[in-house]
Amino acid sequence: MSSPGGGFGDNVGMTTSDKNLDSIRAVQWQGDHLRLLDQRLLPSEERWIDCRDAGQVTQAIRDLAVRGAPAIGIAAAWGVAMAAQQKIDLDDVLSTLRAARPTAVNLMWALDRMKKRIAAGADADALLREAQAIQDEDLAANRRMGELGASLITAHSGVLTHCNTGSLATAGYGTALGVIRAGVAGGQIDHVYAGETRPWQQGARLTMWELVRDGIPAKLIADSAASHLMKSGAVQWVIVGADRIAANGDTANKIGTYQLAIAAKYHGVKFMVVAPSSTVDMATGTGEEIEIELRDATELLSTAGQRTVVEGAQAWNPVFDVTPAELIDAIVTERGVIERPNSIAMQAMFGW
Amino acid sequence: MSSPGGGFGDNVGMTTSDKNLDSIRAVQWQGDHLRLLDQRLLPSEERWIDCRDAGQVTQAIRDLAVRGAPAIGIAAAWGVAMAAQQKIDLDDVLSTLRAARPTAVNLMWALDRMKKRIAAGADADALLREAQAIQDEDLAANRRMGELGASLITAHSGVLTHCNTGSLATAGYGTALGVIRAGVAGGQIDHVYAGETRPWQQGARLTMWELVRDGIPAKLIADSAASHLMKSGAVQWVIVGADRIAANGDTANKIGTYQLAIAAKYHGVKFMVVAPSSTVDMATGTGEEIEIELRDATELLSTAGQRTVVEGAQAWNPVFDVTPAELIDAIVTERGVIERPNSIAMQAMFGW
């Protein structure tokens, strides 16, 4: 078998101090307006959008210029704060922003937090501080998860990740990609593989952009090459994010995550889920209760705007899947690490 | 979990007699020239190439207008026969054709068979008959494998396939896709799922074209959605082709096959390999001895001619992987079926 190791280019010989592993901030408050890195155009173009009112923030969320659950919540909080500066009716703004991506849990969470401050009589300055706090806390949580996750990894490991869970999806640093940044900086991780993540290609378009930009040794693989990669011995951990974690540790995440977990178990490769505690939903008992969104078949039938599949063809296009807790070696949140997750351990850390 | 079943469109209610399940012949001898369906343009265009000498056949093989190991061998045999009709030096023709795709085992096999007839003094008419025999035997082998494979499947099953193993890759009917055609005709198979097969998209571009064209109820999935599909209970068999089968039953096939086999085992879904006996290589002891070709990173870094990944990115792009015999429930060749393959059973059917 051909080894995928080696050939990682000039970055391999660099020491951590040579590199800036955390240079990207996709959501930037500019004192009077919000700058967003337009993720639809990456990696071919780095274009910034200047949002000067809450309506423009709503539009950016709705149009997917900003994506990633934490990043969406942070952008929305800044939108509310801007509206307060501009003395616009905040009830209208809250309901418009809430409707921009109706299924995004973090969006609701951030708006509820702003709403509570408004109800308590906060002025525009206080709401700006609240938005800044939401952003700062997300970054701090990511750094904490980075430390916790990296500490689980033996020196000089290879890792595989899926989708984009990095600076682009958060206030910065990232969740699963934050663990990878921390692990590269700390010497636990030598090399990173990223799955393409069909059909949206977040791994190919966004994660590879972050990794190359921050000088982290990385190679892209087809999603279907993951098992062959594991068999080669090149990776010791699979590290992924989460969209929702149930009370027993079952984890919903981007389609393809479940397949990676099965392959990891077969090869004795370890499997880590990294997500802020706000992703844990103790009201959902198990993954069986999580409804999986099916998206339009056209996402599979066309590629890069060109029809690639015969007219008349059908497709089945689930966006997420559920990885059962039994396939997960560690769930990492900013509150701590749960190894071999189950209902009892989850209740002890996240229960009331 | 959302069920992928149902919604298979108008074809579902049709009876087998309403449908022509085997309408495609991509390699057609026209009495004085060879017509090839240009597979590079499918599914957007059905353009035929008329090859009027062996040089044009060589070009079509080299440029991938014709692909699929059996189809390449058949086209080459017709090229030799045409050269004999045109009284061209056959040694030159044989060596030029042999170099068109140097790693294609079936190409070598078909040319060796023509060479043996030439050495025995065959005239142009005899060589035309030999080329026709190679083509007819391939089709007959596919029909036989179709019957054998379909007989293993319980009525009303769903199946998942990978890459393209159909009429486009063979004299007609196909290997794994031949079993699917036979199973749909016989009532064993109700619905078919096809994986995209990144990075070349043979499943999306070619298999879906065949299935839609022949009215077989089918849905395309992302390669990474296969495990989620299996968990839903929608498929009872994974059915794939093979590039090489080792003496112990280990099978090299398109990248992603191994991952499907692992997922199938985890879910109790059965796994079938379908290939002519010429694919069995008793001189290769196990899959560990099979060298896996790595192709250029650009295949993953660009999509549909557009750069989709940041400049400076690297990729790891193995074309094949090896599925160990322990994950295979049945190997189907025209000589018969080996269930739960191992060295002893393989030796009994394919040994000297």
Side-chain angles (χ1 to χ4, degrees), chain B residues 163-180:
Chain B
C163 199
N164 177 264
T165 60
S167 294
L168 293 170
T170 63
Y173 206 64
T175 55
L177 214 50
V179 170
I180 289 173

Side-chain angles (χ1 to χ4, degrees), chain B residues 112-144:
Chain B
D112 285 344
R113 189 163 152 178
M114 296 302 282
K115 192 176 180 178
K116 200 173 291 180
R117 297 285 293 146
I118 293 164
D123 63 6
D125 281 352
L127 291 177
L128 286 170
R129 286 194 300 274
E130 189 69 13
Q132 187 68 55
I134 290 173
Q135 180 163 331
D136 292 348
E137 288 167 23
D138 186 61
L139 183 58
N142 291 342
R143 291 198 182 282
R144 176 72 183 136

Side-chain angles (χ1 to χ4, degrees), chain B residues 4-320:
Chain B
F8 267 97
D10 296 337
N11 291 325
V12 174
M14 297 174 76
T15 64
T16 310
S17 59
D18 295 323
K19 293 186 279 187
N20 181 351
L21 298 179
D22 180 27
S23 68
I24 302 158
R25 292 294 178 268
V27 179
Q28 300 185 356
W29 178 244
Q30 301 288 308
D32 63 342
H33 70 279
L34 186 66
R35 294 196 81 194
L36 298 174
L37 181 55
D38 190 341
Q39 302 195 25
R40 298 166 300 180
L41 303 176
L42 290 175
S44 57
E45 194 180 336
E46 292 178 29
R47 188 190 297 172
W48 291 85
I49 298 173
D50 288 309
C51 297
R52 297 188 179 279
D53 59 39
Q56 291 176 345
V57 174
T58 304
Q59 196 67 34
I61 293 170
R62 191 182 289 148
D63 295 349
L64 309 178
V66 55
R67 56 150 281 289
I72 289 170
I74 293 160
W78 285 116
V80 173
M82 260 196 291
Q85 280 189 307
Q86 296 163 357
K87 302 190 190 310
I88 290 167
D89 184 282
L90 295 182
D91 284 344
D92 284 358
V93 165
L94 286 166
S95 61
T96 309
L97 277 165
R98 185 175 291 268
R101 283 287 295 276
T103 57
V105 173
N106 284 57
L107 174 61
M108 309 314 155
W109 172 87
L111 290 172
D112 285 344
R113 189 163 152 178
M114 296 302 282
K115 192 176 180 178
K116 200 173 291 180
R117 297 285 293 146
I118 293 164
D123 63 6
D125 281 352
L127 291 177
L128 286 170
R129 286 194 300 274
E130 189 69 13
Q132 187 68 55
I134 290 173
Q135 180 163 331
D136 292 348
E137 288 167 23
D138 186 61
L139 183 58
N142 291 342
R143 291 198 182 282
R144 176 72 183 136
M145 290 189 283
E147 282 172 27
L148 291 169
S151 73
L152 301 173
I153 302 173
T154 310
H156 306 301
S157 291
V159 301
L160 170 64
T161 189
H162 193 60
C163 199
N164 177 264
T165 60
S167 294
L168 293 170
T170 63
Y173 206 64
T175 55
L177 214 50
V179 170
I180 289 173
R181 283 190 162 90
V184 171
Q188 294 91 346
I189 297 175
D190 271 355
H191 49 279
V192 180
Y193 293 86
E196 288 190 288
T197 319
R198 287 283 298 154
W200 285 2
Q201 307 270 98
Q202 293 97 329
R205 294 194 305 106
L206 304 178
T207 298
M208 287 303 294
W209 181 83
E210 289 200 29
L211 293 171
V212 167
R213 175 145 177 157
D214 280 347
I216 294 171
K219 284 184 178 173
L220 181 68
I221 64 166
D223 297 322
S224 63
S227 292
H228 185 53
L229 177 71
M230 291 180 198
K231 191 177 183 185
S232 78
V235 295
Q236 283 68 54
W237 281 88
V238 175
I239 308 179
V240 299
D243 283 89
R244 204 198 304 190
I245 301 174
N248 70 340
D250 290 354
T251 295
N253 193 43
K254 186 68 54 194
I255 188 72
T257 303
Y258 173 47
Q259 190 148 299
L260 294 178
I262 293 168
K265 179 66 79 180
Y266 183 78
H267 291 98
V269 168
K270 297 217 171 180
F271 194 89
M272 187 191 303
V273 171
V274 187
S277 58
S278 57
T279 310
V280 175
D281 179 7
M282 295 300 285
T284 297
T286 74
E288 296 297 316
E289 299 170 29
I290 300 175
E291 183 72 22
I292 299 297
E293 181 187 354
L294 286 178
R295 287 185 61 92
D296 200 278
T298 52
E299 291 181 355
L300 284 169
L301 300 175
S302 295
T303 301
Q306 297 174 41
R307 179 87 188 191
T308 45
V309 185
V310 66
E311 293 293 334
Q314 300 184 44
W316 183 61
N317 185 24
V319 183
F320 303 107

Side-chain angles (χ1 to χ4, degrees), chain B residues 247 282 337-351:
Chain B
M282 295 300 285
V337 175
I338 297 182
E339 297 195 58
R340 292 172 300 283
N342 57 36
S343 298
I344 295 163
M346 290 290 292
Q347 182 66 29
M349 190 172 286
F350 301 107

Side-chain angles (χ1 to χ4, degrees), chain A residues 56-339:
Chain A
Q56 291 176 347
V57 174
T58 304
Q59 196 67 34
I61 294 170
R62 191 182 288 148
D63 295 349
L64 309 177
V66 54
R67 57 151 280 288
I72 289 170
I74 293 161
W78 285 116
V80 174
M82 259 196 292
Q85 281 188 306
Q86 296 163 359
K87 302 190 190 308
I88 291 167
D89 183 283
L90 295 182
D91 283 346
D92 284 359
V93 166
L94 285 166
S95 62
T96 310
L97 276 164
R98 186 176 290 270
R101 283 286 295 276
T103 56
V105 173
N106 284 56
L107 174 61
M108 309 315 155
W109 172 86
L111 290 173
D112 285 343
R113 189 163 153 178
M114 296 302 281
K115 192 176 181 178
K116 201 173 290 180
R117 297 284 292 145
I118 293 165
D123 63 5
D125 280 353
L127 291 177
L128 286 170
R129 286 195 299 273
E130 190 69 14
Q132 187 68 55
I134 289 174
Q135 181 163 331
D136 292 348
E137 288 166 24
D138 187 61
L139 184 57
N142 291 342
R143 290 198 183 282
R144 177 71 183 137
M145 289 189 283
E147 282 173 26
L148 291 169
S151 73
L152 301 174
I153 302 172
T154 310
H156 305 301
S157 290
V159 300
L160 170 64
T161 190
H162 193 59
C163 198
N164 177 265
T165 60
S167 293
L168 293 170
T170 63
Y173 207 65
T175 55
L177 213 50
V179 170
I180 290 172
R181 283 189 163 91
V184 172
Q188 293 92 348
I189 297 175
D190 272 355
H191 50 280
V192 180
Y193 293 86
E196 290 190 288
T197 319
R198 288 283 298 156
W200 285 2
Q201 305 271 96
Q202 293 97 328
R205 293 194 307 106
L206 304 178
T207 297
M208 287 304 292
W209 181 82
E210 288 200 30
L211 294 171
V212 167
R213 175 144 176 161
D214 280 346
I216 294 172
K219 284 184 180 173
L220 181 67
I221 64 166
D223 298 321
S224 65
S227 292
H228 185 53
L229 178 71
M230 292 179 199
K231 191 176 183 185
S232 78
V235 295
Q236 284 67 54
W237 281 89
V238 175
I239 308 179
V240 299
D243 284 87
R244 203 196 307 188
I245 302 174
N248 70 341
D250 290 355
T251 295
N253 192 45
K254 186 68 54 195
I255 188 73
T257 303
Y258 173 47
Q259 190 147 299
L260 294 178
I262 293 168
K265 179 68 79 181
Y266 183 78
H267 291 98
V269 168
K270 297 217 170 179
F271 194 88
M272 187 191 304
V273 172
V274 188
S277 58
S278 56
T279 311
V280 175
D281 179 7
M282 294 300 285
T284 298
T286 74
E288 295 298 317
E289 299 170 29
I290 300 175
E291 183 73 20
I292 299 297
E293 181 188 354
L294 286 179
R295 287 187 59 92
D296 200 278
T298 51
E299 292 181 355
L300 285 169
L301 300 175
S302 295
T303 301
Q306 297 173 41
R307 179 87 188 192
T308 45
V309 185
V310 65
E311 293 294 334
Q314 300 185 43
W316 183 62
N317 185 24
V319 183
F320 304 108
D321 56 29
V322 173
T323 299
E326 70 189 41
L327 297 178
I328 299 171
D329 291 288
I331 293 177
V332 176
T333 76
E334 80 284 2
R335 294 200 199 166
V337 175
I338 297 182
E339 298 195 57

